[in-house]
Amino acid sequence: MSGAAMTPGQWIRPSDGAVLAHPEVLAHAARADVVLLGEQHDKAAQHRWQLHVLAGLLAHRADIAVGFEMFPARLDPVLARWVAGELTEADFLDQAEWGTVWGFPAEIYLPLFRFCRQFRLPMLGLNCRRALVTEVGIGGWDAITDADRDGVTPALPATPAYRRFLFEFTGGGSPNRKVTSPDDPAFDRFVRAQQVWDRAFACRMAEARAARGAPLVVGIIGRGHLEFGHGTPAQLADLGVATVTVLLPHTAPERPAPGIADAVFVMDPLDM
């Protein structure tokens, strides 16, 4: 299998390169506590893929809640009114502060939002107040009072492997970079800030499972928070969420690296 060309439309298991059947992937994912669907935020085709996977999961499970990195948790009442059919699309985007909370075109996300509304799937804001990320990055969690933590608990400390991943993900040792290695103390602030998002997403999903009768929670999240079991998957494990499935779109010609996800879906390079 290692030498065979990947074909768009295939699911690949990164651990061994095996091709997986679509029904098999979805049936397995539907048995998880949380399914995390990664994305590159500006790729419309990846959002269509997320929608198709979400529809497949709904064929297996009626009890699904969908969490979105794009919205802070304080906007949950707006998301609930949208799902209940009480808002027009224009009113929803306005009241959900789309132009402020997220910098990408609404058009590439609206099919997901419409799907949740049509099937009355609860939508959850996974994000925290923006300033918390900066505050923790500067001073660490000890500098933040409980009242200012926005319901987010301190993150499990980053492993050396996660620091290496983040260092490479953000450019590695480029000549113009001030941070010289993953272990450079100058990198600490960025790592702490990244982990605020990782932990916030995990806290919101763990809370949703506890408060809503343990539904399958599907997270729509940037892939950098999900790859190789770092980021949000590690924080979910720390919060006691035992079964997490990570699914990613794959567009590179190279085979997916072992451990990057439970399965990846090979995208058509022209369908972007």
Side-chain angles (χ1 to χ4, degrees):
M1 182 64 205
S2 60
M6 293 184 297
T7 301
Q10 288 180 332
W11 285 99
I12 303 292
R13 185 168 57 211
S15 61
D16 59 7
V19 176
L20 304 174
H22 184 67
E24 176 187 354
V25 173
L26 294 183
H28 179 269
R31 293 191 292 270
D33 297 330
V34 170
V35 174
L36 302 174
L37 302 181
E39 65 176 58
Q40 292 169 277
H41 300 314
D42 61 343
K43 304 298 185 184
Q46 296 186 14
H47 301 305
R48 291 195 296 272
W49 166 80
Q50 290 171 325
L51 174 61
H52 298 154
V53 173
L54 183 57
L57 291 172
L58 186 60
H60 291 272
R61 294 275 299 264
D63 58 332
I64 293 179
V66 188
F68 291 90
E69 173 186 354
M70 300 79 226
F71 301 109
R74 65 178 175 81
L75 292 174
D76 279 359
V78 177
L79 305 185
R81 290 197 293 275
W82 161 256
V83 169
E86 298 173 5
L87 299 173
T88 65
E89 286 186 2
D91 287 340
F92 168 60
L93 295 175
D94 179 61
Q95 294 183 31
E97 305 171 21
W98 184 263
T100 301
V101 301
W102 202 244
F104 297 91
E107 290 74 18
I108 62 177
Y109 286 93
L110 274 168
L112 283 161
F113 304 156
R114 291 168 183 149
F115 182 86
C116 291
R117 177 180 172 122
Q118 191 164 42
F119 286 93
R120 294 303 194 254
L121 302 183
M123 290 174 59
L124 313 169
L126 299 183
N127 225 313
C128 57
R129 61 182 183 89
R130 187 173 298 176
L132 181 63
V133 178
T134 302
E135 293 162 5
V136 174
I138 294 171
W141 285 98
D142 289 343
I144 314 299
T145 67
D146 289 345
D148 290 333
R149 289 180 176 180
D150 199 15
V152 181
T153 55
L156 180 74
T159 63
Y162 189 30
R163 290 182 68 99
R164 287 194 299 272
F165 168 78
L166 290 175
F167 183 72
E168 295 301 326
F169 193 79
T170 55
S174 58
N176 298 325
R177 190 170 189 179
K178 294 181 180 179
V179 175
T180 58
S181 77
D183 302 320
D184 190 334
F187 198 43
D188 290 353
R189 177 172 173 175
F190 176 84
V191 173
R192 286 196 300 266
Q194 181 78 4
Q195 287 199 290
V196 176
W197 280 310
D198 296 337
R199 187 70 173 195
F201 306 158
C203 284
R204 308 304 190 204
M205 289 187 281
E207 290 166 4
R209 282 190 50 79
R212 296 172 178 267
L216 171 62
V217 179
V218 179
I220 305 296
I221 297 172
R223 63 183 299 148
H225 296 283
L226 310 181
E227 294 182 3
F228 297 103
H230 302 310
T232 296
Q235 300 299 332
L236 282 165
D238 185 58
L239 291 168
V241 179
T243 309
V244 177
T245 295
V246 177
L247 304 177
L248 297 177
H250 186 74
T251 55
E254 299 84 10
R255 293 206 162 273
I260 195 170
D262 293 284
V264 303
F265 183 79
V266 182
M267 303 287 291
D268 188 329
L270 298 179
D271 185 22
M272 299 300 292

